[in-house]
Short mmCIF file of all heavy atoms in Angstrom, two decimals:
data_model
loop_
_atom_site.label_atom_id
_atom_site.label_comp_id
_atom_site.label_asym_id
_atom_site.label_seq_id
_atom_site.Cartn_x
_atom_site.Cartn_y
_atom_site.Cartn_z
N VAL A 1 -6.49 3.38 -13.74
CA VAL A 1 -6.62 2.84 -15.10
C VAL A 1 -5.62 3.52 -16.05
O VAL A 1 -5.64 3.28 -17.29
CB VAL A 1 -8.08 3.14 -15.64
CG1 VAL A 1 -9.09 2.39 -14.80
CG2 VAL A 1 -8.35 4.66 -15.65
N ALA A 2 -4.70 4.22 -15.50
CA ALA A 2 -3.67 4.87 -16.35
C ALA A 2 -2.53 3.86 -16.63
O ALA A 2 -1.39 4.04 -16.17
CB ALA A 2 -3.10 6.12 -15.74
N ASP A 3 -2.84 2.78 -17.32
CA ASP A 3 -1.86 1.71 -17.51
C ASP A 3 -0.98 1.91 -18.74
O ASP A 3 0.09 1.43 -18.78
CB ASP A 3 -2.56 0.37 -17.63
CG ASP A 3 -3.66 0.27 -18.63
OD1 ASP A 3 -3.95 1.30 -19.25
OD2 ASP A 3 -4.23 -0.81 -18.84
N ALA A 4 -1.53 2.71 -19.69
CA ALA A 4 -0.64 3.00 -20.84
C ALA A 4 -1.36 4.08 -21.66
O ALA A 4 -2.61 4.10 -21.78
CB ALA A 4 -0.55 1.78 -21.79
N PRO A 5 -0.66 5.10 -22.21
CA PRO A 5 0.77 5.27 -22.00
C PRO A 5 0.99 6.16 -20.74
O PRO A 5 0.05 6.53 -20.07
CB PRO A 5 1.19 5.94 -23.25
CG PRO A 5 0.03 6.73 -23.68
CD PRO A 5 -1.18 5.90 -23.19
N TYR A 6 2.22 6.54 -20.50
CA TYR A 6 2.66 7.43 -19.40
C TYR A 6 2.31 6.85 -18.07
O TYR A 6 1.98 7.56 -17.08
CB TYR A 6 1.98 8.85 -19.59
CG TYR A 6 2.47 9.54 -20.84
CD1 TYR A 6 1.68 9.63 -21.94
CD2 TYR A 6 3.74 10.11 -20.92
CE1 TYR A 6 2.05 10.22 -23.12
CE2 TYR A 6 4.18 10.74 -22.09
CZ TYR A 6 3.34 10.80 -23.18
OH TYR A 6 3.79 11.40 -24.30
N ALA A 7 2.32 5.52 -17.97
CA ALA A 7 1.94 4.86 -16.67
C ALA A 7 2.95 5.14 -15.58
O ALA A 7 2.61 5.34 -14.43
CB ALA A 7 1.85 3.35 -16.90
N ASP A 8 4.29 5.15 -16.00
CA ASP A 8 5.28 5.40 -14.98
C ASP A 8 5.17 6.75 -14.34
O ASP A 8 5.28 6.99 -13.16
CB ASP A 8 6.69 5.20 -15.53
CG ASP A 8 6.95 3.77 -15.92
OD1 ASP A 8 6.30 2.84 -15.42
OD2 ASP A 8 7.81 3.57 -16.84
N ALA A 9 4.88 7.83 -15.26
CA ALA A 9 4.75 9.18 -14.79
C ALA A 9 3.45 9.31 -13.89
O ALA A 9 3.46 10.01 -12.95
CB ALA A 9 4.65 10.13 -15.97
N ALA A 10 2.43 8.48 -14.25
CA ALA A 10 1.18 8.50 -13.47
C ALA A 10 1.47 7.95 -12.05
O ALA A 10 0.91 8.47 -11.10
CB ALA A 10 0.10 7.70 -14.10
N ARG A 11 2.37 6.95 -11.97
CA ARG A 11 2.61 6.41 -10.68
C ARG A 11 3.38 7.42 -9.77
O ARG A 11 3.06 7.52 -8.54
CB ARG A 11 3.43 5.13 -10.82
CG ARG A 11 2.63 3.88 -11.10
CD ARG A 11 3.38 2.64 -11.00
NE ARG A 11 4.27 2.44 -12.15
CZ ARG A 11 3.90 1.88 -13.26
NH1 ARG A 11 2.69 1.38 -13.39
NH2 ARG A 11 4.76 1.76 -14.27
N THR A 12 4.39 8.12 -10.30
CA THR A 12 5.05 9.08 -9.56
C THR A 12 4.15 10.25 -9.14
O THR A 12 4.23 10.82 -8.06
CB THR A 12 6.27 9.62 -10.21
OG1 THR A 12 5.92 10.21 -11.49
CG2 THR A 12 7.30 8.46 -10.46
N ALA A 13 3.25 10.61 -10.08
CA ALA A 13 2.27 11.69 -9.77
C ALA A 13 1.42 11.20 -8.58
O ALA A 13 1.03 12.02 -7.72
CB ALA A 13 1.40 11.98 -10.97
N ALA A 14 1.02 9.98 -8.57
CA ALA A 14 0.15 9.45 -7.52
C ALA A 14 0.86 9.51 -6.17
O ALA A 14 0.25 9.83 -5.15
CB ALA A 14 -0.26 7.98 -7.84
N GLN A 15 2.14 9.23 -6.18
CA GLN A 15 2.92 9.30 -4.95
C GLN A 15 2.98 10.71 -4.42
O GLN A 15 2.77 10.93 -3.21
CB GLN A 15 4.34 8.76 -5.16
CG GLN A 15 4.40 7.28 -5.48
CD GLN A 15 5.78 6.83 -5.95
OE1 GLN A 15 6.65 7.69 -6.18
NE2 GLN A 15 5.99 5.56 -6.09
N LYS A 16 3.10 11.70 -5.27
CA LYS A 16 3.23 13.08 -4.84
C LYS A 16 1.81 13.54 -4.31
O LYS A 16 1.75 14.26 -3.33
CB LYS A 16 3.65 13.96 -6.04
CG LYS A 16 5.08 13.72 -6.40
CD LYS A 16 5.47 14.54 -7.65
CE LYS A 16 6.86 14.21 -8.09
NZ LYS A 16 7.27 14.96 -9.28
N ILE A 17 0.77 13.13 -5.05
CA ILE A 17 -0.59 13.49 -4.63
C ILE A 17 -0.93 12.92 -3.29
O ILE A 17 -1.38 13.58 -2.39
CB ILE A 17 -1.62 13.03 -5.65
CG1 ILE A 17 -1.48 13.85 -6.96
CG2 ILE A 17 -3.08 13.22 -5.11
CD1 ILE A 17 -2.30 13.43 -8.13
N ALA A 18 -0.57 11.60 -3.10
CA ALA A 18 -0.83 10.93 -1.83
C ALA A 18 -0.09 11.60 -0.66
O ALA A 18 -0.59 11.75 0.46
CB ALA A 18 -0.43 9.49 -1.92
N ALA A 19 1.14 12.02 -0.96
CA ALA A 19 1.95 12.68 0.09
C ALA A 19 1.36 14.00 0.57
O ALA A 19 1.59 14.45 1.72
CB ALA A 19 3.36 12.82 -0.36
N SER A 20 0.55 14.67 -0.31
CA SER A 20 0.01 15.92 0.01
C SER A 20 -1.39 15.83 0.69
O SER A 20 -1.87 16.81 1.16
CB SER A 20 -0.15 16.78 -1.24
OG SER A 20 -1.17 16.32 -2.08
N MET A 21 -1.96 14.65 0.68
CA MET A 21 -3.29 14.51 1.25
C MET A 21 -3.34 14.27 2.71
O MET A 21 -2.47 13.56 3.27
CB MET A 21 -4.04 13.33 0.58
CG MET A 21 -4.41 13.55 -0.88
SD MET A 21 -5.28 12.09 -1.53
CE MET A 21 -5.41 12.55 -3.25
N THR A 22 -4.28 14.88 3.41
CA THR A 22 -4.50 14.67 4.82
C THR A 22 -5.96 14.62 5.11
O THR A 22 -6.72 14.96 4.30
CB THR A 22 -3.85 15.86 5.67
OG1 THR A 22 -4.46 17.04 5.27
CG2 THR A 22 -2.34 15.92 5.45
N GLY A 23 -6.38 14.19 6.26
CA GLY A 23 -7.71 14.21 6.73
C GLY A 23 -8.66 13.33 5.90
O GLY A 23 -8.23 12.21 5.39
N PRO A 24 -9.92 13.75 5.71
CA PRO A 24 -10.85 12.97 4.96
C PRO A 24 -10.45 12.60 3.59
O PRO A 24 -10.81 11.46 3.12
CB PRO A 24 -12.13 13.83 4.99
CG PRO A 24 -11.95 14.73 6.15
CD PRO A 24 -10.43 14.97 6.22
N ALA A 25 -9.74 13.51 2.85
CA ALA A 25 -9.30 13.19 1.48
C ALA A 25 -8.32 11.99 1.53
O ALA A 25 -8.48 11.08 0.67
CB ALA A 25 -8.63 14.45 0.91
N ALA A 26 -7.41 11.98 2.43
CA ALA A 26 -6.46 10.91 2.50
C ALA A 26 -7.17 9.57 2.86
O ALA A 26 -6.85 8.53 2.31
CB ALA A 26 -5.34 11.21 3.56
N ASP A 27 -8.15 9.68 3.77
CA ASP A 27 -8.82 8.41 4.15
C ASP A 27 -9.65 7.90 3.01
O ASP A 27 -9.67 6.66 2.75
CB ASP A 27 -9.82 8.75 5.33
CG ASP A 27 -9.04 9.16 6.64
OD1 ASP A 27 -7.85 8.81 6.68
OD2 ASP A 27 -9.60 9.72 7.51
N ALA A 28 -10.33 8.71 2.23
CA ALA A 28 -11.08 8.34 1.08
C ALA A 28 -10.17 7.72 0.03
O ALA A 28 -10.53 6.66 -0.58
CB ALA A 28 -11.89 9.50 0.51
N ALA A 29 -9.06 8.31 -0.22
CA ALA A 29 -8.18 7.83 -1.28
C ALA A 29 -7.60 6.43 -0.86
O ALA A 29 -7.57 5.56 -1.68
CB ALA A 29 -6.95 8.81 -1.52
N GLN A 30 -7.18 6.34 0.36
CA GLN A 30 -6.61 5.08 0.85
C GLN A 30 -7.64 3.94 0.80
O GLN A 30 -7.38 2.82 0.47
CB GLN A 30 -6.03 5.23 2.17
CG GLN A 30 -4.74 6.12 2.22
CD GLN A 30 -4.36 6.53 3.62
OE1 GLN A 30 -5.00 6.21 4.57
NE2 GLN A 30 -3.28 7.33 3.65
N GLY A 31 -8.86 4.33 1.24
CA GLY A 31 -9.91 3.32 1.23
C GLY A 31 -10.28 2.81 -0.13
O GLY A 31 -10.50 1.59 -0.33
N LEU A 32 -10.40 3.74 -1.08
CA LEU A 32 -10.74 3.29 -2.45
C LEU A 32 -9.58 2.50 -3.09
O LEU A 32 -9.79 1.53 -3.78
CB LEU A 32 -11.07 4.49 -3.32
CG LEU A 32 -11.48 4.24 -4.76
CD1 LEU A 32 -12.74 3.27 -4.78
CD2 LEU A 32 -11.81 5.46 -5.49
N ALA A 33 -8.35 2.97 -2.86
CA ALA A 33 -7.18 2.31 -3.45
C ALA A 33 -7.13 0.86 -2.96
O ALA A 33 -6.68 -0.05 -3.75
CB ALA A 33 -5.92 3.04 -3.01
N ALA A 34 -7.56 0.56 -1.78
CA ALA A 34 -7.57 -0.83 -1.27
C ALA A 34 -8.62 -1.70 -1.92
O ALA A 34 -8.60 -2.93 -1.78
CB ALA A 34 -7.74 -0.82 0.25
N ARG A 35 -9.59 -1.03 -2.67
CA ARG A 35 -10.64 -1.85 -3.26
C ARG A 35 -10.62 -1.87 -4.81
O ARG A 35 -11.54 -2.19 -5.47
CB ARG A 35 -11.98 -1.28 -2.82
CG ARG A 35 -12.25 -1.38 -1.33
CD ARG A 35 -13.71 -1.08 -0.95
NE ARG A 35 -14.18 0.24 -1.35
CZ ARG A 35 -13.95 1.31 -0.59
NH1 ARG A 35 -13.33 1.21 0.61
NH2 ARG A 35 -14.36 2.52 -1.01
N ILE A 36 -9.41 -1.50 -5.36
CA ILE A 36 -9.27 -1.51 -6.76
C ILE A 36 -8.18 -2.48 -7.13
O ILE A 36 -7.09 -2.49 -6.62
CB ILE A 36 -8.92 -0.12 -7.35
CG1 ILE A 36 -10.04 0.83 -7.18
CG2 ILE A 36 -8.53 -0.19 -8.84
CD1 ILE A 36 -9.78 2.26 -7.61
N VAL A 37 -8.48 -3.41 -8.08
CA VAL A 37 -7.52 -4.34 -8.62
C VAL A 37 -7.45 -4.22 -10.14
O VAL A 37 -8.43 -3.75 -10.79
CB VAL A 37 -7.81 -5.79 -8.20
CG1 VAL A 37 -7.64 -5.99 -6.69
CG2 VAL A 37 -9.16 -6.24 -8.65
N ALA A 38 -6.42 -4.74 -10.84
CA ALA A 38 -6.28 -4.66 -12.25
C ALA A 38 -5.43 -5.84 -12.74
O ALA A 38 -4.51 -6.27 -12.05
CB ALA A 38 -5.60 -3.36 -12.65
N LEU A 39 -5.79 -6.28 -13.97
CA LEU A 39 -4.97 -7.30 -14.59
C LEU A 39 -3.77 -6.58 -15.08
O LEU A 39 -3.73 -5.46 -15.46
CB LEU A 39 -5.73 -7.94 -15.77
CG LEU A 39 -6.89 -8.80 -15.34
CD1 LEU A 39 -7.68 -9.27 -16.58
CD2 LEU A 39 -6.51 -10.03 -14.55
N PRO A 40 -2.58 -7.37 -15.24
CA PRO A 40 -1.32 -6.73 -15.69
C PRO A 40 -1.52 -6.12 -17.07
O PRO A 40 -2.23 -6.65 -17.92
CB PRO A 40 -0.34 -7.97 -15.70
CG PRO A 40 -0.97 -8.96 -14.72
CD PRO A 40 -2.40 -8.75 -14.82
N ASP A 41 -0.77 -5.03 -17.31
CA ASP A 41 -0.77 -4.31 -18.60
C ASP A 41 -0.12 -5.24 -19.68
O ASP A 41 0.97 -5.76 -19.42
CB ASP A 41 0.00 -3.06 -18.39
CG ASP A 41 0.09 -2.23 -19.72
OD1 ASP A 41 -0.70 -2.51 -20.62
OD2 ASP A 41 0.98 -1.42 -19.84
N ARG A 42 -0.84 -5.40 -20.79
CA ARG A 42 -0.26 -6.26 -21.87
C ARG A 42 0.77 -5.44 -22.74
O ARG A 42 1.39 -6.09 -23.61
CB ARG A 42 -1.39 -6.74 -22.71
CG ARG A 42 -2.28 -7.77 -21.99
CD ARG A 42 -3.40 -8.21 -22.85
NE ARG A 42 -4.36 -7.06 -23.16
CZ ARG A 42 -5.31 -7.05 -24.03
NH1 ARG A 42 -5.49 -8.13 -24.75
NH2 ARG A 42 -6.10 -6.04 -24.22
#
């Protein structure tokens, strides 16, 4: 839901967080990410 402001920084932060996750944490994050959708930021 971090669509505005600082959305671009949030995306790069997400990439770094995802790269550090392993095991159950990584599985939970990936599973939830696949079940979230959003309308484009206006």
Side-chain angles (χ1 to χ4, degrees):
V1 297
D3 54 356
Y6 298 101
D8 294 337
R11 277 190 286 273
T12 58
Q15 292 171 352
K16 293 176 183 177
I17 291 171
S20 72
M21 290 182 186
T22 59
D27 294 340
Q30 292 166 1
L32 182 58
R35 297 194 299 276
I36 294 178
V37 294
L39 292 174
D41 178 19
R42 293 175 294 169

